[in-house]
Amino acid sequence: MTAFLGFRWLHAALTLCMALSFISAPMANAKEEGYITLTLADETLELPLSAGHSDWTGSHGFLRVSILTRPSDLETWQRFQSLRLAFDLLRDNAQLPEMSLLRRAEGSEFERWYGRMDSGGLILTVTDRSLEDNLLRVSGIFSGTLEQSTDFGQTIDLSAPMPVSGTFMVTLLPIR
């Protein structure tokens, strides 16, 4: 009788382990990927997602999304170091979009450019969104202006705006 109970316990444990492996396998294969296509004035770039630095937090109805891209080729990186696009996602509507761009000006000086809904009118529209388990897929379009700042966006110089527009399509894991 004891051997039979031991066998049933072992069988139940093995069944549980197999079930967990089937459930966790898709999550283990979940991968962050994507890009932002960016048009600045008359130049268009496609910047790949920086997977370890992009994420989301929140719940199904309200999410905070943060997308960071960095060029993958040296020539582009010498001019554009990074682009960050962040926004709140209330159901399917983007709110409070903000963008920051770090680029190298002529003469090797870094320029920091910022755009928000309240300064320059950065507008972001979500065209597709899905949240399955912990994997967020979101895509959209944006347009507006970026302005320079010397204090990381605390104050923005509105005297020389640079037009910006583009698209994004990313798959993100939650904040870790």
Side-chain angles (χ1 to χ4, degrees):
M1 180 76 158
T2 305
F4 180 70
L5 289 175
F7 176 74
R8 289 186 66 191
W9 181 86
L10 179 62
H11 179 51
L14 287 173
T15 303
L16 178 62
C17 287
M18 285 188 65
L20 287 174
S21 70
F22 286 126
I23 292 170
S24 63
M27 291 171 55
N29 292 331
K31 166 177 154 176
E32 291 181 304
E33 59 188 0
Y35 63 89
I36 292 179
T37 300
L38 177 72
T39 302
L40 295 170
D42 59 352
E43 183 174 17
T44 300
L45 304 163
E46 185 170 300
L47 302 170
L49 179 75
S50 180
H53 300 97
S54 301
D55 51 43
W56 66 270
T57 186
S59 63
H60 190 74
F62 179 80
L63 303 168
R64 178 72 181 156
V65 178
S66 179
I67 304 166
L68 182 73
T69 64
R70 291 196 173 128
S72 56
D73 64 284
L74 183 59
E75 181 183 335
T76 305
W77 185 83
Q78 289 174 340
R79 295 177 297 128
F80 298 94
Q81 266 65 66
S82 65
L83 171 73
R84 180 179 172 270
L85 178 63
F87 55 93
D88 292 340
L89 187 55
L90 179 60
R91 293 180 191 84
D92 293 333
N93 297 315
Q95 298 181 341
L96 303 173
E98 56 187 48
M99 179 180 285
S100 62
L101 172 71
L102 178 62
R103 75 179 203 173
R104 192 179 302 271
E106 296 189 32
S108 298
E109 295 284 324
F110 280 111
E111 295 177 340
R112 298 181 193 289
W113 293 81
Y114 294 87
R116 294 189 305 254
M117 194 170 97
D118 62 342
S119 65
L122 184 64
I123 298 169
L124 188 143
T125 303
V126 172
T127 56
D128 191 34
R129 167 205 194 270
S130 70
L131 179 60
E132 297 173 18
D133 297 322
N134 63 351
L135 202 59
L136 174 66
R137 289 182 176 89
V138 62
S139 58
I141 57 175
F142 57 88
S143 64
T145 56
L146 299 178
E147 295 89 8
Q148 284 190 295
S149 175
T150 57
D151 58 4
F152 300 96
Q154 296 299 313
T155 57
I156 296 176
D157 178 6
L158 300 173
S159 65
M162 177 173 46
V164 63
S165 63
T167 62
F168 63 95
M169 182 181 296
V170 295
T171 301
L172 304 173
L173 291 169
I175 195 166
R176 297 175 279 289

